[in-house]
Amino acid sequence: MEPTFSKWVCAFLLCCWLNFSKGYSVEGLRGDSKVKAVNLGGWLVVEGWIKPSLFDGIPNGDMLDGTEVQFKSVTLQKFVSAENGGGMDVTVSRDVASSWESFKLWRVSESEFQFRTSQGQFLTCDGVGCSISATAESPSTSETFFIERNNSRVHIKVKSGAYLQATIGNQLTGDYPGTPGWDDNEATFEMMIVANNLHGDYQLANGYGHNDAKKVLQRHRNTFITTEDFHFLYRHGINTVRIPVGWWIASDPNPPAPFIGGTLEALDNAFSWAQAYNIECIIDLHAAPGSQNGMEHSASRDGFTGWPSPDYISQTLDVIDFLASRYAKHPALLGIELLNEPSAATVPLDTLVSYYKQGYQIVRKYSSTAHVIICQRIGNADPLELYQANIGSHNIVVDLHFYNLFDPFYINMSAVDNIQFIYKSREDQLRALNSTNGPLVFIGEWVNEWNVTNGSQTDYQEFGKAQLEVYDSASFGWAYWTLKNDRKHWDFEWNIRNNYLQLGNSPNKKIFNSLTLLGLTCAWFCMHSLL
């Protein structure tokens, strides 16, 4: 072969390899093209549905912070009501309960509680003989009540020792004479627990109390995720972990009450284990001060979202500064996610974009290469909104969470419907996002679970295969939710060990192998043609 022609062919093959490999690579990954990750959910940020047994030892465990309750007078057969949802008097006057008649608990001890209305005010009593109103903006002694329980019946007592009663004039007053029995009397109420959905760090720590919560969480953090789990991930081709953390990590080892220290040491351990197995780490700020979505995984006390306030945003930026300064130079750091799942209903886009821009600059202060990950708002939000926001210029990633769950749209889908939805709608969406020439695309949460009640193992295998094939096309990669879970189909380890999720079928591995073969072919041809 002529030397000039050989050199031309060699250059052509080399260009092809460089172009293709560039299209499928993420800066900072060692030995792999894109992120194949698993979330370490339920470890450093508690989510009770992942491991319900964490809450088993809490006394009055059905009356945690954020539990929604209603009270009905057994004599009047009417519900206690905060007029207009709060800010006015409290009456015992409603035949049917709705939001005005529902109160969220703030737990002080296993028998002491404060009651928050739907508008955010607290029930208050200013002394013996008081009429209860819902006018306190923040709780203290006058807003704290004792609850005595006898099955579903309760007595409610103020700090002075007087019991509340429903008067014949439909008022709620703190002047019942003496100590009531459990018969039908003015001081006895039926308590109905309407919702008990929050089981996060706040509920666990405040439910047990500091000393017992410290024991429970120390045992959990030391055993739930260990170095053996990183070995398991390494053996199955996982190259990254996404690690949810809470804002209180920046105050470790003595965070504000009721949070329990120890998460920083655990995160340090995770980085060491990851480095030992050539696994990268994404630090995910899962819980922000004040809560960015009102859910348990953001450590909300009662379901309210307070995060968009300037004070909370400033505090959150301090947390990002802490994390970036501590881990920016660690060889296992791949990126920092500035906030997980802000709510579209309560977090304005302009506020979020401003925060993301400031967070990007903070990370860049410590690292020019760490990926800065920004999460799409959950709820009614356009995935493209962050692609048009111009957050930063280098290594920006948008995190999308893809679940065929949590929406009525998926309820009646069959196994085939779910699989086709992945291949059509999800694939089209990713193709469009990949072509924007903007931030990289990251499917930061997905799961091999759906609303299909009678799915066979083969159905699950096909559903998992479809997701892997489609999500492998995301320009940054994907992360499964989550490594361990009491619900088996959410549990990555269970899926792998029981052959419900087959990573060997992932086309990403085939693409990477093909690119490697192309590179080797190029090298061989060039070497021999130039001899």
Side-chain angles (χ1 to χ4, degrees):
M1 186 177 292
E2 293 293 327
T4 301
F5 181 72
S6 299
K7 291 178 181 178
W8 183 88
V9 173
C10 177
F12 175 76
L13 288 172
L14 182 61
C15 288
C16 289
W17 179 72
L18 289 172
N19 283 334
F20 277 105
S21 61
K22 180 181 179 182
Y24 291 95
S25 64
V26 167
E27 181 179 348
L29 279 180
R30 292 167 289 187
D32 282 273
S33 55
K34 287 190 289 189
V35 168
K36 296 192 288 276
V38 173
N39 285 276
L40 306 186
W43 183 34
L44 305 185
V45 175
V46 169
E47 298 187 41
W49 70 280
I50 292 178
K51 190 178 179 183
S53 60
L54 287 174
F55 292 79
D56 285 350
I58 298 178
N60 270 347
D62 59 345
M63 296 181 68
L64 302 174
D65 285 277
T67 299
E68 193 171 337
V69 297
Q70 296 167 346
F71 300 103
K72 187 176 186 179
S73 166
V74 297
T75 54
L76 299 181
Q77 286 297 298
K78 293 185 183 296
F79 287 92
V80 175
S81 176
E83 295 298 318
N84 286 333
M88 299 179 66
D89 291 337
V90 173
T91 65
V92 189
S93 58
R94 294 293 193 278
D95 295 320
V96 178
S98 61
S99 61
W100 291 8
E101 293 73 46
S102 299
F103 304 93
K104 291 188 175 181
L105 299 180
W106 278 28
R107 183 175 171 127
V108 179
S109 71
E110 64 179 276
S111 59
E112 295 173 279
F113 300 89
Q114 295 153 346
F115 304 114
R116 196 178 194 187
T117 68
S118 59
Q119 294 299 317
Q121 297 88 359
F122 292 85
L123 301 196
T124 185
C125 174
D126 57 10
V128 177
C130 67
S131 291
I132 307 299
S133 66
T135 54
E137 295 298 328
S138 60
S140 61
T141 302
S142 297
E143 291 73 46
T144 302
F145 300 85
F146 291 88
I147 290 184
E148 300 171 353
R149 300 181 74 177
N150 183 12
N151 298 318
S152 64
R153 290 197 167 195
V154 298
H155 297 146
I156 306 171
K157 186 168 60 173
V158 299
K159 278 285 187 177
S160 65
Y163 288 88
L164 301 190
Q165 66 169 332
T167 70
I168 198 167
N170 300 107
Q171 299 301 303
L172 187 64
T173 61
D175 57 358
Y176 183 82
T179 302
W182 293 109
D183 57 338
D184 291 352
N185 60 69
E186 291 83 355
T188 300
F189 300 83
E190 290 282 345
M191 183 179 72
M192 284 138 284
I193 295 177
V194 180
N196 184 21
N197 300 326
L198 295 176
H199 294 82
D201 278 273
Y202 206 106
Q203 287 72 29
L204 187 147
N206 213 33
Y208 278 110
H210 180 84
N211 292 338
D212 287 343
K214 186 175 182 179
K215 295 175 185 176
V216 169
L217 285 177
Q218 187 174 48
R219 182 168 57 250
H220 172 64
R221 292 165 182 166
N222 289 342
T223 59
F224 191 63
I225 301 293
T226 68
T227 184
E228 285 78 15
D229 296 307
F230 281 76
H231 183 218
F232 174 86
L233 294 173
Y234 170 77
R235 287 191 293 109
H236 289 90
I238 296 301
N239 59 28
T240 307
V241 287
R242 179 174 179 257
I243 310 174
V245 300
W247 62 270
W248 54 93
I249 194 172
S251 301
D252 214 84
N254 299 303
F259 297 102
I260 305 297
T263 57
L264 186 59
E265 180 184 0
L267 184 59
D268 285 344
N269 289 339
F271 267 79
S272 297
W273 301 333
Q275 185 177 5
Y277 288 104
N278 285 332
I279 291 174
E280 305 292 329
C281 294
I282 294 170
I283 305 174
D284 157 40
L285 185 58
H286 220 68
S291 175
Q292 72 275 18
N293 54 33
M295 298 181 184
E296 68 180 33
H297 62 245
S298 61
S300 174
R301 181 170 191 173
D302 62 3
F304 280 81
T305 303
W307 180 80
S309 75
D311 288 345
Y312 283 141
I313 290 175
S314 176
Q315 189 177 350
T316 309
L317 291 169
D318 289 342
V319 175
I320 297 301
D321 191 283
F322 171 82
L323 293 170
S325 65
R326 186 178 183 89
Y327 294 103
K329 304 305 180 184
H330 197 290
L333 180 71
L334 182 64
I336 295 177
E337 185 155 356
L338 300 179
L339 190 65
N340 177 70
E341 293 188 346
S343 168
T346 52
V347 178
L349 179 60
D350 58 347
T351 301
L352 183 65
V353 168
S354 173
Y355 164 74
Y356 279 160
K357 288 181 177 180
Q358 294 175 79
Y360 174 85
Q361 293 300 328
I362 289 173
V363 176
R364 285 289 165 263
K365 184 171 65 173
Y366 299 101
S367 172
S368 61
T369 57
H371 290 82
V372 180
I373 303 171
I374 55 177
C375 189
Q376 178 195 10
R377 295 188 297 167
I378 57 171
N380 187 19
D382 183 354
L384 284 172
E385 64 186 18
L386 294 178
Y387 286 82
Q388 303 159 352
N390 193 26
I391 304 295
S393 59
H394 181 60
N395 280 357
I396 281 282
V397 181
V398 171
D399 178 9
L400 309 175
H401 295 173
F402 281 174
Y403 292 106
N404 282 25
L405 296 160
F406 312 128
D407 191 299
F409 178 79
Y410 304 108
I411 289 177
N412 296 316
M413 278 190 175
S414 67
V416 172
D417 293 335
N418 276 278
I419 292 167
Q420 288 305 307
F421 180 81
I422 299 296
Y423 279 125
K424 294 179 180 178
S425 296
R426 297 285 197 218
E427 190 167 34
D428 288 346
Q429 185 178 4
L430 283 176
R431 188 180 298 113
L433 293 174
N434 281 334
S435 66
T436 60
N437 197 31
L440 297 173
V441 184
F442 180 38
I443 311 305
E445 293 184 19
W446 65 276
V447 68
N448 199 29
E449 184 61 298
W450 47 16
N451 288 313
V452 178
T453 57
N454 57 348
S456 66
Q457 181 174 9
T458 300
D459 290 333
Y460 275 99
Q461 288 171 341
E462 291 300 313
F463 185 51
K465 176 184 175 184
Q467 293 187 90
L468 285 168
E469 288 182 354
V470 172
Y471 302 162
D472 265 330
S473 68
S475 52
F476 187 74
W478 51 258
Y480 190 91
W481 186 272
T482 182
L483 178 60
K484 295 181 178 180
N485 199 306
D486 272 21
R487 303 182 187 186
K488 59 186 182 181
H489 290 293
W490 290 79
D491 185 304
F492 179 80
E493 289 186 352
W494 183 91
N495 274 274
I496 296 298
R497 290 190 170 114
N498 291 277
N499 202 32
Y500 274 70
L501 194 62
Q502 301 170 315
L503 293 183
N505 293 336
S506 170
N508 190 49
K509 188 175 293 184
K510 297 176 184 177
I511 290 171
F512 181 73
N513 290 339
S514 298
L515 292 173
T516 303
L517 180 61
L518 178 59
L520 291 172
T521 302
C522 173
W524 180 89
F525 182 85
C526 292
M527 180 181 69
H528 284 272
S529 64
L530 296 176
L531 289 177

